[in-house]
Amino acid sequence: NKVVWGAASDAHRTEFTVSVDSFSKNVRENVRSLGGGLELRQPSGALYVLDDPQQQASDPRIAQAHLELLEEWCTSIEGYLGDTDRTKWETPDSGPDSELEYWRRRMQRLTSITDQLKTKRCKQVIVLL
């Protein structure tokens, strides 16, 4: 081991490995948030084509379809944001960096959701209701 690490002390080796582990966790989380995360089901089908939202709001089938989709979104978002198990990333010696990382991830999740809700298709669902 001394040949691999050279003159590095035990403390430096430990600090380096902890930093590399933290970095790799951050990279995995960022990749996961880019490719995974929560993807809200988009409205599709004839019931979601809104030519005249006021007229279509009076059709109970259309209103019900939009309401069910909105309820699905709410359930999905609550589950996604409710996943706050800090033991996944906190260690006994966690410090301020861990707290900042936690809030950065929360902000990524919120931004992902709001970006989806700002799309034209999602706004149509909300406007109809």
Side-chain angles (χ1 to χ4, degrees):
N1 246 357
K2 198 69 163 160
V3 174
V4 176
W5 286 97
S9 67
D10 287 342
H12 286 123
R13 285 192 297 256
T14 302
E15 181 182 346
F16 177 78
T17 56
V18 167
S19 294
V20 168
D21 287 344
S22 175
F23 176 75
S24 67
K25 282 181 188 177
N26 285 337
V27 169
R28 280 193 304 272
E29 180 65 27
N30 288 334
V31 167
R32 187 182 70 75
S33 73
L34 289 174
L38 176 67
E39 189 160 335
L40 299 174
R41 183 172 65 89
Q42 293 296 304
S44 62
L47 291 176
Y48 296 104
V49 177
L50 300 180
D51 297 322
D52 182 7
Q54 287 183 335
Q55 180 185 5
Q56 290 174 311
S58 63
D59 183 339
R61 291 177 318 129
I62 294 174
Q64 184 63 34
H66 283 74
L67 182 61
E68 288 172 4
L69 182 60
L70 187 61
E71 287 174 348
E72 177 186 317
W73 290 348
C74 289
T75 302
S76 298
I77 291 169
E78 283 178 19
Y80 184 62
L81 293 178
D83 181 22
T84 59
D85 184 10
R86 290 183 174 213
T87 60
K88 291 180 186 175
W89 53 271
E90 251 184 12
T91 61
D93 60 342
S94 293
D97 287 344
S98 298
E99 188 71 19
L100 290 171
E101 182 62 25
Y102 169 78
W103 289 107
R104 185 188 63 76
R105 288 181 183 147
R106 293 285 292 175
M107 189 162 134
Q108 278 181 332
R109 288 177 173 218
L110 288 170
T111 301
S112 167
I113 292 167
T114 56
D115 286 347
Q116 292 179 63
L117 291 174
K118 288 179 182 177
T119 64
K120 182 179 179 182
R121 303 280 304 199
C122 289
K123 282 183 179 180
Q124 287 178 331
V125 171
I126 297 166
V127 165
L128 184 113
L129 296 173

